Amino acid sequence: MDELDEEDALIYSHFTHNGFVAFKEFFFEAFFVGFVIAIFFAEAGAFGIDFPDDTRGFFGEGIDEIDIASKALEVLPLATYFGLALGGRGLGHDFHFGQDCNRNTIWPHKETHALRIPHRKKYANFSYLCANMALAHTRIYGQDSPLPRPPEGRRYMAYVETYGCQMNFADSELVAGLLHQEGYSFTTRPEEADLILINTCAIREHAEEKIWQRLRYLESLKTVRPHLMVGVIGCMAERLRQRLFEESPVVDLVMGPDSYRHLPHLIRQVESGTKAIHTLLSREETYADLAPLRLAPNKVSAYLSIMRGCNNMCTFCIVPFTRGRERSRPCQSIIQEAIQLAKAGYKEITLLGQNVDSYNDNGLRFAQLLRIVAEAVPNVWIRFATSHPKDMLDEVLETIAACPNLSPYIHLPIQSGSNRILARMNRGYTVEWYLERISAIRRYLPNAVISTDIIVGFCGETEEDFQETLSAMRAAAFDSGYYFMYSERPGTLAARRYKDDIPPEVKKGRLEQVIALAQQLSLESNQREIGRVHPVLLEKVSRRASEDLTGRTFHGKAVVVRDIARSHQPGDRVFVRIREVTSATLIAEATDASPLGVD
Ligand code: 5AD
Ligand code: SF4
């Protein structure tokens, strides 16, 4: 112990405490490696491989008749060294080792955890190694540094920030429901929160960059509020797991999309001074019995999640890996929630799933679910997303046509207009099939609004492929859409199979062309609306003019209704006549002062 400085001494003191568990694991691993090496030599000897003399010297005479167990013990130091030098990866460990290494990782209970340990430790020394593992264990599982509590008698304040898709917004409301049960109140200002949860998206690299940036800001908050607890939840949490702890010191809690039930328990774990993580995906979890707490300030529109996960395995998509296998929420619990929302005064419900057309509750399919929900809450407008072109059935379109409160708005991602690229994306349809589905929509629902998603610059996309995408956009005459440059996501099928070979400037140029065409198509679509009358659900006061309200037509287009704020309020439904348009918005005036279909 002579050569130890103060910090080293601290490490040793930890070693004697929680470190015992780590040491046991370490010892077991080392023994196991030794065992394997001993067997290797025994087998090799049996096959007549001739070892150099010094190797024989080390293992002793008679290697063929080796007593494996005792020899394993003998080779323990060397085996340990090999095991660690190789990173122990064969055993699933991730244990970095060496003079320049400042990172030390252990893997208790089949999860890899990591922490930074100051440089200049001599890891080649077995005791230092054990001590550092012990310290890692203590920091991760230890109980010795509970978070300070907020001032006595005050309720804990939570702030939930959501990135990404509608599904994430719905999930944040589930999480808020759990926090509410735990006694938390909510704030819209992270600066005054005791607990901040960031619900994250992993779909594109840019989405994750935004989160890293946000975490850097939260680091500054933690310096002034040491008791602040920060959790990263959702898709990025599922994808990066404990790497979030490694890369951002502010993160206390990591929780994947199927782990929300564990939130109260994980919070208590963090309160007792331990980092907490739960990222196991489930095949059953639909949170059917959890009551979401609606976070949106206007009580007009609500999301209602009807299924989770995705089985499609589009090659570009990280979702199947972050949200797991597809499962449908029982119809009964969906209806119950819809009725509760209607009673609470909501005027519009959006049913959410990654691929709603494959909804299946013991044989009850999406078209039937739509009808049941529509009939259960006849005064609520019902929308849904997302449809998949390969699965969208005429039956669903028929149902929409038959039920007056089912909105004829269909979000049908095409992704690409080239059959070659669609096959590479594993989308399961051709452009011809897709355009036939568009014709079917227009046949059943002449008034339908159709939006799409398009990815440009997918692996191997030629200029010809891209031109086919532009042609498909024209043929489908999309009313609106969401357009993206391909972003390779580690672990996806595309990342494993194909090269991300389209230069960024080419992707950017293609995206610009897609957006320009999309704007033209949207403008044409909106121009066709001029003079028409539409029912509109008013949502909020316009940011541009306080006398106007904004909302959405029944068929899903954004609209500004002029001079209506004095006579109406968000949540009212009115008939409007469209007067002017831009590519993004309809501008209208109320045609009839009497509200439409309000409960
Ligand atoms: N790169 C770019 N866009 C993607 N999307 C999904 N994965 C990626 C990716 N790796 C788009 C698809 C999908 C939408 C939600 O996001 O268009 O429909
Ligand atoms: Fe991703 Fe395809 Fe599933 Fe959509 S359908 S979530 S793009 S895998």
Side-chain angles (χ1 to χ4, degrees), residues 471-499:
S471 307
M473 286 174 72
R474 287 189 202 97
F478 292 119
D479 297 285
S480 59
Y482 304 88
Y483 311 104
F484 313 102
M485 287 188 277
Y486 172 61
S487 162
E488 185 177 85
R489 307 312 291 132
T492 54
L493 294 176
R496 279 183 262 158
R497 270 187 210 159
Y498 309 121
K499 197 159 172 267

Side-chain angles (χ1 to χ4, degrees), residues 73-206:
L73 269 176
E74 267 180 43
V75 298
L76 190 65
L78 185 70
T80 304
Y81 189 88
F82 281 161
L84 295 171
L86 290 171
R89 285 183 190 280
L91 291 174
H93 278 239
D94 183 9
F95 199 104
H96 304 273
F97 167 62
Q99 197 74 2
D100 295 327
C101 186
N102 70 347
R103 217 167 70 162
N104 209 347
T105 315
I106 57 172
W107 187 52
H109 319 304
K110 299 204 173 177
E111 287 209 20
T112 309
H113 290 273
L115 85 166
R116 290 182 191 289
I117 284 183
H119 193 57
R120 84 200 148 70
K121 296 281 171 280
K122 302 173 193 70
Y123 289 111
N125 176 317
F126 179 80
S127 4
Y128 270 104
L129 216 47
C130 293
N132 276 312
M133 288 188 64
L135 180 63
H137 198 279
T138 304
R139 290 228 186 122
I140 294 163
Y141 291 99
Q143 303 289 319
D144 53 358
S145 55
L147 279 187
R149 320 276 297 183
E152 271 311 306
R154 192 164 66 68
R155 273 184 102 193
Y156 287 84
M157 293 263 251
Y159 169 75
V160 183
E161 187 167 280
T162 310
Y163 293 79
C165 62
Q166 296 164 319
M167 208 78 187
N168 262 15
F169 282 82
D171 281 359
S172 288
E173 296 185 331
L174 276 176
V175 167
L178 285 164
L179 291 174
H180 181 65
Q181 275 175 18
E182 289 288 297
Y184 278 83
S185 55
F186 293 86
T187 171
T188 51
R189 295 189 58 241
E191 292 77 13
E192 62 183 21
D194 306 304
L195 166 67
I196 297 179
L197 294 179
I198 311 284
N199 195 354
T200 59
C201 172
I203 201 126
R204 282 168 289 275
E205 198 181 346
H206 179 65

Side-chain angles (χ1 to χ4, degrees), residues 165 202-205 315-319 354 386 411 413 415 427 452-456 458 482 484-489 492:
C165 62
I203 201 126
R204 282 168 289 275
E205 198 181 346
T315 55
F316 52 79
C317 190
I318 193 77
V319 167
Q354 239 72 42
T386 294
H411 181 59
Q415 311 296 3
R427 287 290 289 176
T452 198
D453 289 344
I454 291 177
I455 298 177
V456 296
F458 185 64
Y482 304 88
F484 313 102
M485 287 188 277
Y486 172 61
S487 162
E488 185 177 85
R489 307 312 291 132
T492 54

Side-chain angles (χ1 to χ4, degrees), residues 310-321:
C310 183
N311 284 356
N312 284 327
M313 299 306 278
C314 300
T315 55
F316 52 79
C317 190
I318 193 77
V319 167
F321 303 94

